Amino acid sequence: MGILNSFSLEGKVALVTGASYGIGFAIACGMHDAGAKIVFNDINQELVDKGIAAYKEKGIDAKGYVCDVTDEDAVNALVAKISAEVGDINILVNNAGIIKRIPMCEMTAAQFRQVVDVDLNAPFIVSKAVIPTMIKNGGGKIINICSMMSELGRETVSAYAAAKGGLKMLTRNIASEYGEFNIQCNGIGPGYIETPQTAPLRERQADGSRHPFDAFIIAKTPAARWGTTADLVGPAVFLASEASNFVNGHVLYVDGGILAYIGKQPQ
Ligand code: NAP
Ligand code: GCO
């Protein structure tokens, strides 16, 4: 078994935020398969119940809690409740996120703040809530779900890009400040992944043709396809496991090569 043991998450408690479905759900399932006990939260009971049922269908006894990750008091209470009911959190995946696709000059400051609150302030809040216990227990793993927009901008996603760019630097700063306590904090930067969040970008046109953005992403991706949530599971298990104990402050882009590629020449 040798090297494969270093990828095991046996005996670990993993909290994945916003993990009733989508990327968080897939990462949580993969971490379960690697041996972790899965805990997740979502923003309302309906989503949590949906998530618990979905995990059960996969034979996973996940614990689900209602918690808005932007609410510091609720997050602190959640972390304490998880410690009492399940065990101290060893692995945190800051996955919960939103996007608003609005031209910047049409976006209100309140809309901008709402995106930054969930995508940047919340990872700060949840990380701050779990780090003291990780230090007490001799270390831990924090994985922040960043984005192509941690590196690149595009029209209509100013708030999201600002938040995800900030999340890349928060990742580096947690690594810098807490690395001496054997806490590794890294990011995963998914490319364009098929989830509800990107569904509007993939809708078929009335004539059955691809959405223009869909065709654009295919041309910008060497793999010539959208990613699936399954593509993110191996990288997440790696960053959650002992196999990555000397990887810190890194954002692992799982993008099919988008960031390396100028894009296919239009035919
Ligand atoms: P998604 O399908 O929209 O799922 C996000 C989850 O987070 C949903 O369950 C959502 O609940 C939950 N959530 C939102 N606000 C919350 C809050 N305040 N408190 C607790 N939970 C909250 O998104 P996804 O595509 O799986 O993406 C997951 C993460 O990956 C996000 O951080 C996203 O920015 C990032 N990402 C996605 C892609 C992609 O192509 N899909 C690529 C790069 C990065 P609701 O259902 O109520 O919204
Ligand atoms: C968008 C998309 C992207 C993806 C992802 C790319 O509108 O450009 O939603 O932002 O969600 O973040 O990595």
Side-chain angles (χ1 to χ4, degrees):
M1 276 291 276
I3 181 66
L4 290 182
N5 278 329
S6 67
F7 290 84
S8 170
L9 304 183
E10 283 297 337
K12 304 294 185 186
V13 174
L15 168 62
V16 186
T17 66
S20 294
Y21 61 90
I23 287 172
F25 178 80
I27 287 176
C29 292
M31 290 186 171
H32 167 269
D33 292 353
K37 170 67 183 165
I38 299 305
V39 182
F40 75 101
N41 73 294
D42 225 307
I43 200 156
N44 60 49
Q45 193 60 54
E46 182 186 356
L47 274 174
V48 169
D49 293 345
K50 169 185 167 187
I52 290 171
Y55 285 111
K56 203 165 189 174
E57 267 185 43
K58 287 182 166 287
I60 300 172
D61 176 24
K63 283 281 283 181
Y65 298 87
V66 177
C67 180
D68 177 347
V69 290
T70 66
D71 179 339
E72 188 166 21
D73 291 340
V75 167
N76 290 334
L78 170 68
V79 170
K81 193 173 175 78
I82 291 168
S83 282
E85 296 181 357
V86 183
D88 290 345
I89 294 163
N90 309 107
I91 300 160
L92 167 64
V93 181
N94 283 308
N95 167 78
I98 62 172
I99 191 168
K100 291 185 184 299
R101 299 184 183 96
I102 304 168
M104 183 177 141
C105 292
E106 296 169 26
M107 179 179 267
T108 66
Q111 288 169 324
F112 188 95
R113 275 194 292 268
Q114 188 186 359
V115 174
V116 172
D117 213 15
V118 179
D119 294 4
L120 178 57
N121 295 345
F124 160 77
I125 288 169
V126 186
S127 300
K128 181 182 160 202
V130 305
I131 283 171
T133 305
M134 286 183 171
I135 292 173
K136 174 176 70 97
N137 293 331
K141 298 283 189 177
I142 298 175
I143 301 168
N144 292 322
I145 306 300
C146 296
S147 162
M148 293 286 95
M149 291 24 243
S150 295
E151 301 292 342
L152 304 169
R154 84 173 185 87
E155 299 80 2
T156 76
V157 295
S158 59
Y160 185 83
K164 293 297 188 178
L167 186 56
K168 175 177 72 172
M169 286 314 301
L170 177 64
T171 300
R172 289 179 177 170
N173 214 77
I174 292 172
S176 305
E177 195 163 354
Y178 296 102
E180 68 177 286
F181 301 105
N182 189 34
I183 291 173
Q184 290 85 49
C185 180
N186 292 287
I188 287 177
Y192 280 82
I193 310 296
E194 294 174 341
T195 72
Q197 192 247 52
T198 55
L201 306 175
R202 291 177 281 109
E203 277 169 3
R204 284 284 171 179
Q205 305 299 281
D207 64 3
S209 63
R210 281 182 183 275
H211 187 293
F213 195 88
D214 182 355
F216 170 66
I217 289 303
I218 298 296
K220 285 287 285 179
T221 311
R225 68 173 175 88
W226 284 68
T228 68
T229 57
D231 289 318
L232 300 166
V233 172
V237 169
F238 165 64
L239 290 176
S241 72
E242 290 182 5
S244 61
N245 277 359
F246 205 53
V247 178
N248 213 1
H250 183 76
V251 177
L252 177 55
Y253 286 98
V254 186
D255 65 354
I258 293 177
L259 287 178
Y261 185 39
I262 194 171
K264 186 174 290 299
Q265 178 182 341
Q267 298 306 320

